[in-house]
Structures are given as C-alpha cells and as structure tokens.
C-alpha cells in the first residue's frame, strides 16, 4: 500500500495539501509565528521574493506553499517584481467575525514590466491588541502560495506531474526541501 | 494541534482527498475489487444510482467519492436518471501505455428529463487477459465521484462549509459513513 511520508505523519495516497485560508492562518501561519509545532512539515521556508517563480522548487502547475519573511519592498525580487493586484481579502475566524489574517494577491512582472501568468497569494497574520488590529511587522513570517494562472498544461508536463504527485512526497511537490 | 481522524491514519489539518484518476484506479478501486486493504477508509459504499444526488451524504459543493456496484441500467435511479455525456476517457498506468480503467461522465436529469448541474465521474476497472481488455462485469465495484458543476456557492453555505471542512472528518465530508 503506497503511503506518502511527511516526516512525522504518513499521508495516504490520494490526499493533498489543499488548506482553506482559515486553516492556513490558524493551523500553520499563526503557529509558525509563535514558534509552536505545526500539524505537518509541508510548508518549506524560502525567500520567495528573492526567487524567480520559475525557479521555485516543486511542480509549477500545482499550488506551492512557502513560509517567507514579510517584506514591504516587493521590487527586490530576482529578474522581475511582484505587484499587488485587486483588493486585500480579510480572513475571519470561523464562528465569529474576528479578522485573523489578510490575503493579498500579487502578479509577477518579468524584466521590464512584462506581465506573467504567475500569481502569489500572500497570507499575513493580524493580531488584536485590545481593539486595535495590527498586521505583523516586516521580517515576520508570511505564507506565500505561488501558482500559474490556468492555461492548458503541456501534455509532456502532465505526464511528469502524474509521476510527481504519485511520488512519496506531498503532492505540492515541496516536501523535498524540509522546513 | 488539530488532526483529522481517518480510522487508522491521522490526516493533518489542511490535507484533503483529491486523488488523481490514476491513484483512484490503482490504489482504491483495484484494491477494492480484489478485496485488498485500502490506503484509507475515505470512500464509503453507497448505491449512488438509487439515490438522488441531492440526498447523498457530505458537502454537496465538494467532490464526493463512493464505491457503488456497476449497473448498466442508469435509468433506475431515484426521481430521475443519469445519462452519459461526452466520450469515455481511458485511464492509463503511469510509466506505460496500459489502459487500467475508464472514466465515464454522466449528468443527472430530474423527473421528466430536466437537466441538472449534478455531474458524476464513474471510474471502472479494465483488466487485461492476454491481449484482450475487459471491463469489469455488471455488479462489480466502481468509484463514483459526484459533484455540482461550478456555480456560485451561496454565502450561507460557504460559511457552513468552512466549519464542515475544518471538522475532524475528511474534507470530502463522506467519512461520516464508514466504508
């Protein structure tokens, strides 16, 4: 029986890391920020803003999650830059209306402002100090989910992907680098 | 730390049952047909063809998987019928070109032929006897994946879903009934 190994837990074949926004904030990002143990070692640390999305590890046709340090200067990235797009989305705790995080959408522009199909959802934590809601400061952990906007995947890549996602690592293809 | 329980294995929060067609055939359906232990007890047995899709257990906005007995008479279902649509898709084993299964798409028609947004992907096994490829006979296990074609989910249902998918059961919402 094939079992995907995830350091401390065994993930049965067919299961993939597809968290909801709330799960990502509550069970992964918040615990990372407060140095608490995580449910699974499935999100590696990587300076996403210093890496061209084409060079990120894992299957580029799957959503890939990384812990990265929050930076205000999104232009610092390699061979291009990430630019914010759309409105930030508040993530609220299930069961009450308390804002626990923010999801920001960004698009990668290559070289001299050539828009690409690379998208990032950057999740950051919001903490409450009495009535004040404070976004975690620069340098604090965020979760970056990087993916390609849907276009038809080339047939060759599809075949590669099938073998990759059936591999003993997590389907997001990112457990090769341990967090 | 929240852990989703799956009878014998503990699935960390954020992981969901999203198998590829090949994984479903090789690791679940084939093993079910040959009475071998399954990687996880995540697919319940249910006579899908005798049940109106609205009455199937679990979250109707998620893909739900069921082991059902193969039937040729798709008109026997409750308050409507499933009709095949499109071409069957051959599922081939990764690494070679051997056909291991067939994926058939069906649409549910309610009452007197009113087309609905309910879709079923029915996976059946193909076995090879020398050069002959034989589909498993009527009465043999198939896997039925039932879902609604994408329309905007009502806001209320979304809130309900968030609590449901964060529950200790599998996100597909089908582990409430054990296989």
């Amino acid at each position: 029986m094939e079992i995907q190994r995830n350091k401390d837990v065994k993930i049965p074949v067919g299961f993939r890391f597809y968290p909801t926004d709330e799960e990502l904030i509550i069970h992964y990002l918040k615990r990372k920020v407060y140095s608490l143990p995580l449910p699974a070692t499935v999100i590696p640390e990587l300076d996403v803003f210093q890496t061209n999305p084409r060079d990120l590890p894992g299957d580029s046709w799957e959503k890939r999650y990384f812990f990265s340090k929050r930076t205000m200067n999104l232009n610092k990235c390699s061979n291009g830059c990430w630019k914010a797009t759309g409105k930030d989305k508040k993530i609220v705790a299930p069961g009450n209306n308390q804002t626990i995080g923010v999801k920001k959408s960004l698009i990668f522009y290559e070289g001299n402002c050539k828009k690409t199909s690379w998208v990032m959802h950057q999740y950051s934590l919001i903490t409450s100090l009495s009535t004040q809601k404070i976004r975690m400061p620069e340098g604090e952990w965020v979760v970056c989910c990087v993916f390609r906007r849907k276009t038809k995947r080339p047939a060759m890549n599809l075949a590669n992907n099938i073998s990759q996602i059936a591999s003993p690592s997590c389907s997001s293809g990112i457990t090769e680098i341990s967090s």
Side-chain angles (χ1 to χ4, degrees), chain A residues 27-125:
Chain A
H27 298 283
Y28 289 88
L29 180 56
K30 193 174 177 182
R31 299 185 74 87
K32 180 75 174 177
V33 166
Y34 290 105
S35 302
L36 296 168
L38 302 177
T41 52
V42 69
I43 307 178
E45 295 177 6
L46 196 135
D47 189 349
V48 175
F49 299 102
Q50 285 292 317
T51 313
N52 190 302
R54 282 183 307 190
D55 300 329
L56 291 171
D59 180 358
S60 65
W61 295 92
E62 296 263 340
K63 284 191 173 181
R64 290 168 290 170
Y65 295 86
F66 304 95
F67 283 125
S68 203
K69 293 282 186 175
R70 184 175 156 79
T71 172
M72 301 303 282
N73 185 1
L74 301 175
N75 294 312
K76 284 195 302 179
C77 44
S78 165
N79 302 322
C81 62
W82 289 98
K83 289 186 185 174
T85 181
K87 281 176 71 175
D88 291 2
K89 182 192 166 193
K90 281 183 187 175
I91 314 294
V92 296
N96 65 41
N97 230 11
Q98 199 192 335
T99 305
I100 49 172
V102 173
K103 178 182 180 180
K104 181 188 274 298
S105 295
L106 304 109
I107 290 177
F108 189 69
Y109 289 76
E110 222 157 13
N112 48 357
C113 288
K114 191 186 157 215
K115 192 174 177 179
T116 70
S117 60
W118 289 102
V119 179
M120 183 197 296
H121 290 159
Q122 185 196 281
Y123 297 83
S124 52
L125 206 62

Side-chain angles (χ1 to χ4, degrees), chain A residues 5-8 32 38 40-47 57 65-67 141 169-170 173-179:
Chain A
R5 280 176 202 285
N6 188 271
K7 213 169 182 178
D8 43 355
K32 180 75 174 177
L38 302 177
T41 52
V42 69
I43 307 178
E45 295 177 6
L46 196 135
D47 189 349
Y65 295 86
F66 304 95
F67 283 125
W141 290 113
S169 70
C170 164
I174 53 178
T175 41
E176 297 139 35
I177 46 172
S178 176
S179 65

Side-chain angles (χ1 to χ4, degrees), chain A residues 59-61 148 153-162:
Chain A
D59 180 358
S60 65
W61 295 92
R148 271 181 167 168
R153 177 202 294 245
M156 276 297 287
N157 280 11
L158 178 62
N160 291 342
N161 178 49
I162 287 166

